[in-house]
Amino acid sequence: MAGILFIISAPSGSGKSTLVAKLRDLVPNLEFSISYTTRPPRGSERNGFEYNFVIREEFEEMIERDAFLEHAEVFGNYYGTACHFLEDAERDGKDLLLDIDVQGAEQLRHRATGAVSIFVLPPGKETLEQRLRKRSQAEHVMDERIILRRLEKAREELCRYPDYDYILVNDKLDEAVDELEAIVWSERLDRGSPDSREITQIDAWRYHQLAERCRRGKNGRMDPVLKSFAID
Ligand code: ADP
Ligand code: 5GP
């Protein structure tokens, strides 16, 4: 049985990497694609762990070889998902999680039907700015222009939320992690995934309730977020 492809996107600084790291500790049999990028490593990032760091020529050579399932240019750097991650996951019957931007998600909607897409929102513009600053301080790179550029880009990306199946507001971290985990289990249960066979009825009910709260169109919690970015 083919695994499920989960796509998660969010404006930079929303807390997506933090959520994904926690999810990977909680959910078994969820493979994570390590993207290729031309941006330099940040903070404690290591080649082959958070990303495969390559030079521009190498990335462009991979584009020519058609080695990417999707790729995009984000903040002046290339990012891409190598085809082999999906092929390996399909072969092994494992679910695959992609952390990609809105352009990459758009490309995959046409190429991977049945994918589950999740959009992570920050609780508001002010909080996003604080998180971007906090991360920059922790990584000892305080560049005001980068922060402003990311905030502007966040507004553009937020307008794409209606394209996603689930919308998650990352306010309290524990709650957002619970919801993300529930979305994964709820989809596995609905699709009869072998991984979900051990789930008790009470847990299945709880996962469905939590996941439903995040379904697009049923999510009043995002109204204040959109308002803070002046999005109608
Ligand atoms: P992204 O991957 O979306 O760019 P990160 O995961 O790097 O974002 O998070 C940006 C900053 O916000 C980090 O310093 C992280 O510790 C912090 N952060 C993430 N989620 C929360 C949360 N729910 N509450 C408070 N701080 C958070
Ligand atoms: P960062 O540089 O902050 O790690 O990531 C910047 C943006 O690039 C984020 O929105 C992240 O989701 C996106 N990104 C990371 N890997 C990929 C990828 O393989 N493809 C695409 N399209 N975007 C990616």
Side-chain angles (χ1 to χ4, degrees):
M1 178 186 176
I4 307 172
L5 179 65
F6 292 96
I7 298 172
I8 179 162
S9 303
S12 179
S14 304
K16 185 179 35 151
S17 314
T18 309
L19 286 172
V20 167
K22 297 220 174 255
L23 183 74
R24 291 175 73 185
D25 287 341
L26 288 169
V27 175
N29 287 332
L30 185 61
E31 290 294 304
F32 181 76
S33 140
I34 301 170
S35 296
Y36 285 76
T37 184
T38 57
R39 89 149 160 74
R42 209 165 53 196
S44 58
E45 287 176 339
R46 286 165 304 161
N47 190 30
F49 287 84
E50 289 81 5
Y51 283 105
N52 291 301
F53 296 99
V54 293
I55 56 169
R56 229 176 151 82
E57 288 72 19
E58 195 177 335
F59 198 101
E60 283 168 350
E61 188 266 321
M62 286 180 76
I63 298 176
E64 267 172 39
R65 265 197 289 126
D66 225 359
F68 290 117
L69 192 61
E70 62 73 37
H71 68 276
E73 194 154 353
V74 188
F75 302 120
N77 289 301
Y78 281 131
Y79 292 83
T81 308
C83 296
H84 73 82
F85 280 105
L86 187 61
E87 289 158 8
D88 293 350
E90 278 175 350
R91 187 198 54 222
D92 301 340
K94 287 198 168 166
D95 296 345
L96 180 68
L97 178 72
L98 303 184
D99 165 350
I100 59 176
D101 86 318
V102 293
Q103 306 169 71
E106 178 64 24
Q107 291 170 38
L108 282 188
R109 265 184 213 106
H110 302 293
R111 291 188 75 169
T113 48
V116 178
S117 58
I118 306 161
F119 196 75
V120 176
L121 297 172
K125 189 175 176 195
E126 217 173 285
T127 314
L128 181 64
E129 189 167 345
Q130 285 163 4
R131 287 188 189 164
L132 284 168
R133 285 187 198 288
K134 184 180 140 201
R135 188 175 66 188
S136 296
Q137 269 164 4
E139 290 166 353
H140 308 291
V141 273
M142 263 323 253
D143 186 334
E144 202 54 28
R145 282 166 312 173
I146 293 181
I147 293 187
L148 291 178
R149 215 163 122 217
R150 290 190 178 227
L151 280 172
E152 269 169 38
K153 180 94 174 141
R155 190 178 182 283
E156 267 171 49
E157 290 177 337
L158 279 167
C159 295
R160 308 286 289 271
Y161 81 88
D163 299 341
Y164 287 75
D165 300 315
Y166 294 95
I167 318 284
L168 209 151
V169 181
N170 178 21
D171 187 357
K172 294 197 175 67
L173 186 61
D174 288 349
E175 284 178 19
V177 172
D178 279 353
E179 287 174 350
L180 188 55
E181 188 190 1
I183 292 169
V184 171
W185 284 116
S186 169
E187 288 288 339
R188 284 181 170 182
L189 285 155
D190 288 350
R191 297 176 192 216
S193 153
D195 292 317
S196 65
R197 285 192 194 128
E198 307 283 302
I199 301 288
T200 61
Q201 264 190 328
I202 185 83
D203 279 341
W205 180 84
R206 197 176 68 85
Y207 289 141
H208 278 128
Q209 294 288 314
L210 272 177
E212 270 314 295
R213 265 186 12 195
C214 303
R215 273 229 191 257
R216 181 192 50 202
K218 292 191 183 170
N219 204 321
R221 285 177 305 165
M222 66 198 193
D223 295 345
V225 185
L226 299 176
K227 203 166 159 210
S228 75
F229 282 90
I231 299 168
D232 294 330

